[in-house]
Amino acid sequence: MGDTAAAVNDTADTTRLMKAVAVTPGRADSVHLRTLPVPRIRDPREVLVEVVSVGVDGTDREIIHAEYGEAPAGDDFLVIGHESLGRVLQVGDDVRELRPGDLVAATVRRPGDSPYDRIGLSDMTTDEEYFERGISRLHGFLCESYVEAEQYLVKVPRACAEVGVLMEPASIVVKGIEQAFEIQRRMKIWSPARAAVTGAGTIGLLAALLLRLRGLDVTVFGLTEPPYLNSELLDGIGARYYSTRQVPVDEASDRHGPFDLIFEATGYSPMVFECMEVLARNGVLILSSVTGGERTAEVPADRLNLEFVLGNKLLFGTVNANRGHFEQAARELAMGVSEYPGFLPGMLTHPVHGLEKFEELVEKLLHAEDAIKVYLTRGSAP
């Protein structure tokens, strides 16, 4: 890994200081505000970025609870935050694509040593250890500024300035859908018409949007009974919503399925087996939620196996995203802003203004039951 895993101070201007939100990995509820040297460009291919806004999600929640997260080599703390929107302040002499004032999002994972890492597919790494900004062995973006190599920065369209903080979660959805279509090239003429999304949080809503932009009929499942903000947002893009407390998945499938493509984003593993039962022949089930614990479920194993074999059905998991997915996410968000102007801004429900209010940020992340996206902002993007 070399320079990529270096501690903040290795590329910092020790005469100037900035604020950052960090945790002590392995110690629960250790979120705190630190003062760190301001990073500076040391390589001609690097870019100095001012942080505009940073989203927080379930991964940050796990890190705060000490279930996850690892500090960079040489440090006993981890600056958190991996969903970033920033503004370019300064560029190195060899930077070609970016200019001061550009809005950018940073990718999260950095290359390791596997063959996949060496060809730009670090999201497919086979390494046991991996490096992710704000998550594992690399500091994140909940700070005033950071320095990054140009190759890990993706330009955000000006039309997406208000919603650019959604680039990272959108890249996860882009990857899952893109891979489904890539795998289904085996079918030659696969053209899905009906889709289901399980989970109506940030990832589920973005999945519904991207599938609607592709012209699919979309049914979304969540726990909360409608009407509420999430269901109203979905109605605005022509997707239908069901609470599984009122309408079971199989009953909804009788009305609107079976589903050619299902994007599972609940974090509730038994839901996977319900999805398997309503997947159409030649259908694809995408698993995007990471689940912990030891939950078990009783399932009709023989029947599911038979239907998957005879129906040429597919199930796969997807995690993280590479630069290409971020670039596509920028295009998808721009299209979403154009086609459904209120949808993406409507997802940004819980802003917190200023790094000094990190405790409010944590409180909203952990306890705001009506939150879609909790995020910190340091000012308005141009």
Side-chain angles (χ1 to χ4, degrees), residues 16-336:
R16 299 172 58 224
L17 299 176
M18 69 172 184
K19 300 181 182 69
V21 179
V23 299
T24 303
R27 200 173 84 200
D29 304 318
S30 62
V31 185
H32 60 281
L33 195 67
R34 297 185 75 93
T35 301
L36 300 173
V38 173
R40 58 191 173 103
I41 292 174
R42 288 181 175 269
D43 185 286
R45 295 162 296 182
E46 289 181 335
V47 178
L48 175 63
V49 180
E50 174 190 20
V51 173
V52 173
S53 55
V54 179
V56 289
D57 65 1
T59 298
D60 298 293
R61 187 182 299 114
E62 292 175 354
I63 293 172
I64 290 168
H65 290 323
E67 298 170 2
Y68 204 64
E70 187 166 339
D75 285 332
D76 61 0
F77 67 95
L78 173 69
V79 177
I80 59 174
H82 59 280
E83 300 179 1
S84 70
L85 174 67
R87 182 186 297 106
V88 173
L89 291 179
Q90 181 184 354
V91 299
D93 291 341
D94 291 346
V95 171
R96 295 291 176 261
E97 297 180 10
L98 298 174
R99 296 289 182 269
D102 285 344
L103 293 176
V104 293
T107 62
V108 178
R109 187 168 288 187
R110 298 293 174 268
D113 299 317
S114 81
Y116 303 98
D117 293 279
R118 291 195 287 272
I119 62 170
L121 298 180
S122 57
D123 55 315
M124 294 293 192
T125 189
T126 53
D127 291 349
E128 290 295 325
E129 295 183 349
Y130 50 89
F131 299 82
E132 291 180 329
R133 297 285 304 241
I135 301 173
S136 177
R137 302 175 178 87
L138 292 174
H139 290 304
F141 306 112
L142 267 173
C143 55
E144 295 180 35
S145 62
Y146 65 90
V147 166
E148 187 56 274
E150 182 183 27
Q151 70 189 92
Y152 303 123
L153 296 172
V154 176
K155 193 170 180 179
V156 176
R158 292 283 166 176
C160 298
E162 182 183 0
V163 299
V165 73
L166 295 172
M167 278 277 287
E168 193 277 339
S171 74
I172 302 298
V173 176
V174 163
K175 177 182 176 180
I177 296 173
E178 176 187 280
Q179 289 192 332
F181 277 86
E182 181 68 17
I183 295 167
Q184 290 297 75
R185 289 172 62 188
R186 64 186 183 145
M187 297 291 181
K188 308 300 182 185
I189 59 170
W190 191 65
S191 181
R194 297 177 299 275
V197 177
T198 53
T202 299
I203 295 293
L205 291 174
L206 288 170
L209 173 65
L210 268 59
L211 291 167
R212 287 292 298 132
L213 289 174
R214 285 163 173 77
L216 277 74
D217 180 85
V218 178
T219 303
V220 180
F221 298 93
L223 277 176
T224 304
E225 297 179 9
Y228 74 121
L229 175 59
N230 306 48
S231 66
E232 292 168 356
L233 287 171
L234 290 165
D235 183 66
I237 64 171
R240 68 181 61 85
Y241 174 83
Y242 287 113
S243 166
T244 53
R245 290 176 174 145
Q246 297 175 317
V247 181
V249 171
D250 58 350
E251 183 178 326
S253 178
D254 290 340
R255 303 178 192 175
H256 310 291
F259 302 106
D260 303 305
L261 187 152
I262 303 177
F263 199 108
E264 206 295 306
T266 62
Y268 180 64
S269 55
M271 178 59 69
V272 174
F273 301 101
E274 293 189 48
C275 291
M276 292 172 71
E277 296 198 62
V278 297
L279 188 65
R281 285 178 172 269
N282 297 342
V284 180
L285 170 54
I286 306 167
L287 307 185
S288 69
S289 62
V290 178
T291 52
E294 300 294 332
R295 187 180 288 115
T296 61
E298 184 175 328
V299 301
D302 285 343
R303 179 164 56 81
L304 289 175
N305 179 77
L306 181 67
E307 291 176 354
F308 261 70
V309 172
L310 297 182
N312 290 306
K313 300 180 184 182
L314 171 72
L315 179 154
F316 73 90
T318 181
V319 67
N320 204 268
N322 61 43
R323 180 185 174 90
H325 303 129
F326 273 77
E327 291 172 338
Q328 181 62 25
R331 293 187 286 268
E332 300 274 359
L333 291 183
M335 189 180 299

